[in-house]
Amino acid sequence: MPGEYICINGHIHESDSCGSRLLGLLGANYTYRSVHTLAGRPLHIDAHLALLGHSYESLYGYDPAIERAGVERWIGEVLYRNSASRGSNLIRIVAAPDGEGGGSDIFIFYLGPMMYQGYSLWHKPRRALPLTYEVPFPAFRTAANLTSHNYAHAHARRLGYDAAITVNYAGEAVSLGEDPLFCVRGREVFVADAETRIPQSVERLLGIEVCRAAGLEVHEQAVAADELTGMDELFAFSPQGLVPVGSVGEHLLPSAIVNLLGDRLPGLQSQELTLF
């Protein structure tokens, strides 16, 4: 749920006063990015906005013309109006067609504080359930993409698990919800290729960077779901950081390499990213 205040096209509104507009988003076409902010500063904002613009133009055929300076100012205002802490917080930037053709509406939502400050290693490994479902337009983060993952997550929780591993109709395990899944075997790491199986994202790029910095060989290819229990370790990379997967179904997994990668996370806050 959004915070008490949201930003729409640079203007701050009380969420309660925008009920019909927010309800309209539930059935709307939009693309989005979830952004980690630290001490009021959105991390990797240039990369997030470039990927958001690329997705929007690919889906709708025109550039949403999102300006960094304006978005940073709006994010700061949203954090301030929602009394956000100076630590780590999560915000979501949504770009949606304005319904009039050729224009876009930019929404900024405050989703709440994060458990840790900066990119961190999640303290509790996730118990994950592989679920087969296909995400529409898998190369982009869209309204349909987010809704599909939310349904799968709720189903996994109902069955006693923490999260769902997305298995596409080709039988490939590609993500932990909306977060890219990394599969470790020996000194090799496998992550699904972007732009076909999962969206390119800041989180995917940071996961690749931290693995390579640790001397691991990264292969940008998906792993078959029936090979997951043969992997040494699994983890996802979320806006918070590394999320270890402690079990797939009833099969337990260690987190030795994931713990080593966790020591390298603080340096990612200023990591340069190559997008295209």
Side-chain angles (χ1 to χ4, degrees):
M1 295 295 292
E4 186 177 353
Y5 293 91
I6 64 173
C7 179
I8 305 175
N9 296 329
H11 300 285
I12 299 294
H13 303 267
E14 291 186 3
S15 298
D16 289 346
S17 69
C18 301
S20 60
R21 199 159 188 184
L22 296 181
L23 188 62
L25 274 183
L26 293 177
N29 298 315
Y30 66 78
T31 184
Y32 73 94
R33 292 285 149 172
S34 299
V35 181
H36 182 151
T37 70
L38 178 61
R41 180 175 65 91
L43 301 181
H44 299 101
I45 189 62
D46 285 331
H48 280 297
L49 294 182
L51 290 168
L52 182 65
H54 172 69
S55 295
Y56 194 97
E57 189 166 7
S58 298
L59 290 165
Y60 306 117
Y62 56 92
D63 185 352
I66 305 172
E67 296 182 359
R68 170 182 172 166
V71 169
E72 284 190 309
R73 185 171 62 253
W74 302 344
I75 289 172
E77 184 68 14
V78 165
L79 291 171
Y80 173 75
R81 295 294 290 271
N82 284 284
S83 301
S85 73
R86 291 287 293 171
S88 288
N89 294 278
L90 185 64
I91 63 101
R92 180 167 291 149
I93 306 174
V94 168
D98 62 8
E100 300 176 1
S104 58
D105 287 328
I106 307 300
F107 298 77
I108 297 179
F109 299 98
Y110 172 65
L111 300 184
M114 291 184 165
M115 181 172 291
Y116 308 108
Q117 183 163 311
Y119 293 121
S120 304
L121 174 63
W122 191 258
H123 71 288
K124 183 180 179 182
R126 304 286 84 184
R127 294 172 297 125
L129 176 67
L131 291 176
T132 300
Y133 63 100
E134 196 68 66
V135 175
F137 299 97
F140 308 104
R141 286 190 165 169
T142 65
N145 179 300
L146 184 60
T147 299
S148 298
H149 291 316
N150 285 342
Y151 272 113
H153 177 75
H155 183 69
R157 292 294 298 269
R158 184 177 64 83
L159 296 177
Y161 295 88
D162 299 314
I165 293 175
T166 307
V167 179
N168 62 24
Y169 287 164
E172 299 165 330
V174 294
S175 64
L176 189 72
E178 63 180 313
D179 301 322
L181 180 69
F182 292 79
C183 305
V184 182
R185 185 173 59 204
R187 300 292 295 176
E188 297 179 300
V189 180
F190 300 84
V191 61
D193 51 304
E195 303 292 342
T196 54
R197 287 168 173 81
I198 59 173
Q200 183 61 286
S201 65
V202 166
E203 294 73 34
R204 181 180 179 277
L205 293 169
L206 290 176
I208 290 174
E209 288 293 336
V210 76
C211 288
R212 287 177 173 163
L216 302 175
E217 183 178 358
V218 178
H219 303 278
E220 298 186 48
Q221 64 186 67
V223 168
D226 59 10
E227 295 179 9
L228 289 179
T229 56
M231 292 289 156
D232 296 332
E233 300 181 35
L234 302 177
F235 66 90
F237 205 103
S238 77
Q240 174 70 88
L242 285 171
V243 181
V245 176
S247 63
V248 176
E250 301 305 314
H251 180 80
L252 299 178
L253 292 164
S255 300
I257 286 183
V258 174
N259 289 332
L260 291 175
L261 296 178
D263 295 335
R264 299 178 176 271
L265 292 177
L268 293 181
Q269 290 165 198
S270 57
Q271 176 70 48
E272 293 291 331
L273 298 176
T274 302
L275 299 181
F276 306 111

